[in-house]
């Protein structure tokens, strides 16, 4: 896939974190497939941008967890969330449970791919000790992108199940981020859920969730291809678990009288109590 002229940068250029992090995460989570080389290039740029931002955060005395949470809250409104009509168009006309199945599968593939690339990069750094200190920046980039993919999945599952979250684009993005931190759906009968999304407890939950995700990615630091294998597998399983939890939650939280999404007849037996 051709790279737009304005996106071409020298490999040694350090991106401005204030300008580029949201843009890069948006590209890495946009609908459609990215060529592996392009995904690696964007992840590399993101790692450099985050590394630069981390240095500035350390200079101000900010802890890694708080800095990670602040970065993610800043980029959350840039995560591309599709409405139900667009989702169905992008997934070959699927609706209801079949569409939800496909969304989870697509998100699993995306986080698995990011994990495999991040793990492979970390493995390469492990094999070259002088460069080992750069590996955490790559894994932080992986953590941010995986979190963004999962927030996108969570938000779009709300669309599929007809659970509407009111508010501005930024308010909705923060509400979905808060729900991801808690690994659950948003209760449509609690109108304060959006307004309370930026409370201290939510920020703490987000910080802890991001640190747990980063901790999972740190396990991919290993020689040869073990990092790539571990990174892909761990991300795929975590995304699958999130999808199942949120779907079960949203089935319970459907607004009164809204009904339920159309169920694939082949899955009725597994859904029936």
């Amino acid at each position: 896939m051709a790279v737009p002229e304005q996106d071409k940068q020298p490999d040694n250029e350090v991106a401005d974190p204030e300008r580029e992090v949201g843009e890069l995460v948006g590209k890495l989570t946009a609908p459609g497939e990215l060529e592996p080389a392009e995904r690696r290039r964007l992840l590399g740029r993101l790692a450099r941008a985050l590394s630069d931002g981390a240095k500035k955060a350390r200079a101000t005395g900010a802890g890694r967890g708080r800095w990670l949470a602040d970065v993610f809250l800043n980029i959350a409104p840039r995560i591309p969330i599709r409405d139900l009509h667009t989702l169905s168009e992008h997934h070959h006309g699927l609706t209801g449970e079949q569409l939800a199945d496909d969304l989870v599968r697509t998100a699993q593939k995306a986080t698995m791919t990011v994990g495999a690339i991040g793990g492979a990069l970390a493995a390469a750094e492990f094999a070259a000790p002088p460069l080992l200190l750069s590996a955490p920046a790559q894994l932080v980039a992986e953590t941010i992108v995986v979190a963004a993919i999962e927030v996108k999945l969570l938000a779009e599952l709300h669309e599929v199940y007809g659970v509407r979250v009111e508010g501005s684009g930024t308010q909705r993005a923060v509400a979905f981020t808060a729900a991801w931190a808690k690994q659950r759906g948003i209760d449509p009968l609690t109108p304060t859920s959006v307004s309370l999304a930026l409370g201290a407890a939510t920020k703490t939950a987000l910080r802890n969730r991001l640190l747990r995700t980063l901790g999972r990615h740190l396990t991919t630091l290993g020689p040869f291809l073990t990092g790539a294998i571990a990174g892909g597998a761990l991300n795929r399983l975590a995304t699958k678990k999130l999808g199942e939890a949120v779907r079960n939650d949203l089935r319970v939280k459907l607004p009164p009288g809204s009904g339920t999404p159309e169920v694939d007849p082949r899955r009725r037996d597994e859904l029936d109590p």
Side-chain angles (χ1 to χ4, degrees):
M1 182 174 68
V3 179
E5 200 62 35
Q6 64 269 25
D7 289 337
K8 293 182 179 179
Q9 294 189 2
D11 285 343
N12 62 353
E13 179 174 337
V14 176
D16 176 356
E18 297 298 325
R19 187 186 71 236
E20 293 218 25
V21 170
E23 171 196 342
L24 292 168
V25 172
K27 289 180 179 179
L28 284 160
T29 56
E33 292 285 338
L34 279 174
E35 294 291 336
E38 174 67 356
R39 192 181 297 274
R40 282 194 296 272
R41 189 185 73 84
L42 292 174
L43 278 170
R45 282 179 56 190
L46 180 59
R48 291 194 293 274
L50 290 167
S51 177
D52 194 43
K55 290 174 186 175
K56 293 179 180 178
R58 283 196 296 271
T60 64
R64 171 169 279 190
R66 193 180 80 187
W67 170 73
L68 265 177
D70 287 344
V71 168
F72 197 81
L73 286 171
N74 285 334
I75 63 98
R78 301 289 297 273
I79 300 171
I81 308 300
R82 296 166 289 182
D83 61 24
L84 182 58
H85 176 73
T86 305
L87 284 168
S88 184
E89 277 192 342
H90 288 178
H91 289 264
H92 312 289
L94 293 177
T95 59
E97 295 287 348
Q98 290 176 307
L99 176 56
D101 285 343
D102 213 38
L103 284 177
V104 174
R105 279 194 297 267
T106 301
Q108 282 184 261
K109 181 179 178 183
T111 59
M112 180 175 68
T113 301
V114 171
I117 291 173
L121 289 172
E125 299 294 354
F126 187 93
L131 301 179
L132 184 58
L133 289 177
S134 66
Q138 296 160 359
L139 298 182
V140 169
E142 178 186 345
T143 296
I144 292 290
V145 174
V146 166
I149 291 169
E150 292 188 344
V151 168
K152 176 183 174 72
L153 169 64
L154 182 147
E156 292 180 345
L157 285 174
H158 281 71
E159 287 288 324
V160 173
Y161 285 91
V163 178
R164 289 292 304 165
V165 177
E166 303 301 328
S168 67
T170 298
Q171 287 175 322
R172 296 178 73 240
V174 171
F176 289 130
T177 298
W180 174 78
K182 299 173 184 175
Q183 301 281 281
R184 61 187 306 172
I186 295 173
D187 190 343
L189 302 180
T190 308
T192 58
S193 59
V194 174
S195 61
L196 294 178
L198 271 175
T202 295
K203 286 186 177 179
T204 298
L206 174 59
R207 182 192 67 202
N208 292 340
R209 177 62 56 187
L210 286 166
L211 287 175
R212 279 196 290 271
T213 304
L214 176 61
R216 184 175 80 227
H217 294 154
L218 286 172
T219 65
T220 65
L221 280 170
F224 307 112
L225 293 179
T226 57
I229 295 169
L234 289 173
N235 282 349
R236 179 177 59 81
L237 290 174
T239 302
K240 180 181 180 181
K241 181 179 178 182
L242 171 70
E244 290 172 348
V246 171
R247 291 174 72 179
N248 289 336
D249 212 16
L250 293 178
R251 290 186 187 110
V252 174
K253 292 178 177 177
L254 283 170
S258 65
T260 56
E262 177 186 347
V263 178
D264 182 346
R266 293 171 297 181
R267 300 185 70 248
R268 290 189 187 277
D269 289 342
E270 88 181 57
L271 294 174
D272 286 340

